[in-house]
Amino acid sequence: MVGKMQRARTVMAEHLAIAEKLSWYCAVLMALILVMSLCQEEQRERDYFVKQSRKWKEEVMKKACDEIYVVKEGETLHTISEKCGDPFIVEENPHIHDPDDVFPGLVIKITPFKNS
């Protein structure tokens, strides 16, 4: 009888050790799933913001320019003329002596050309 009880305790201890290992693996698996779902959520947010920024950029490009325009990095008079619809930027801005000497921060007057 004592042998049976000892054997039962041993079997219970083995089962308990297996259950503890199994619960540890389940906890690790759940943590991994949680981390992966957070990464997917971040990717969805990133995709959303990329789409929104493209949409906003398209809207800004379609929008008519203000009468006073500040040159941005990488812009030329040609790109500003196309963007704003003003083919006479140099003529309207006597402070521009050299059309190739355009720099970020330069303030220019824009008068969009209207076809009527």
Side-chain angles (χ1 to χ4, degrees):
M1 184 99 155
V2 174
K4 283 186 179 183
M5 292 206 31
Q6 183 67 23
R7 188 169 158 235
R9 285 185 183 157
T10 305
V11 169
M12 287 261 268
E14 288 174 358
H15 286 276
L16 184 60
I18 290 171
E20 285 178 1
K21 283 184 181 179
L22 186 59
S23 67
W24 172 252
Y25 289 132
C26 286
V28 169
L29 180 63
M30 292 297 287
L32 183 62
I33 290 171
L34 178 64
V35 168
M36 288 175 62
S37 70
L38 290 174
C39 291
Q40 285 180 338
E41 183 64 29
E42 286 179 8
Q43 182 63 38
R44 273 187 240 130
E45 287 178 8
R46 200 173 307 123
D47 291 344
Y48 171 77
F49 286 121
V50 166
K51 286 178 186 175
Q52 279 300 108
S53 66
R54 286 182 185 151
K55 183 179 175 183
W56 293 330
K57 184 178 179 183
E58 288 173 7
E59 288 175 9
V60 166
M61 292 302 284
K62 289 178 186 175
K63 178 184 161 191
C65 299
D66 293 331
E67 188 174 324
I68 302 298
Y69 187 85
V70 179
V71 178
K72 296 170 193 66
E73 184 74 32
E75 290 184 316
T76 64
L77 290 182
H78 181 72
T79 59
I80 297 168
S81 176
E82 286 181 346
K83 177 180 174 183
C84 299
D86 184 0
F88 305 107
I89 293 176
V90 176
E91 290 83 0
E92 295 167 347
N93 292 279
H95 62 283
I96 301 176
H97 302 291
D98 182 5
D100 295 326
D101 189 24
V102 178
F103 52 90
L106 178 67
V107 178
I108 57 177
K109 179 182 174 199
I110 301 290
T111 308
F113 180 71
K114 296 188 172 136
N115 253 343
S116 355

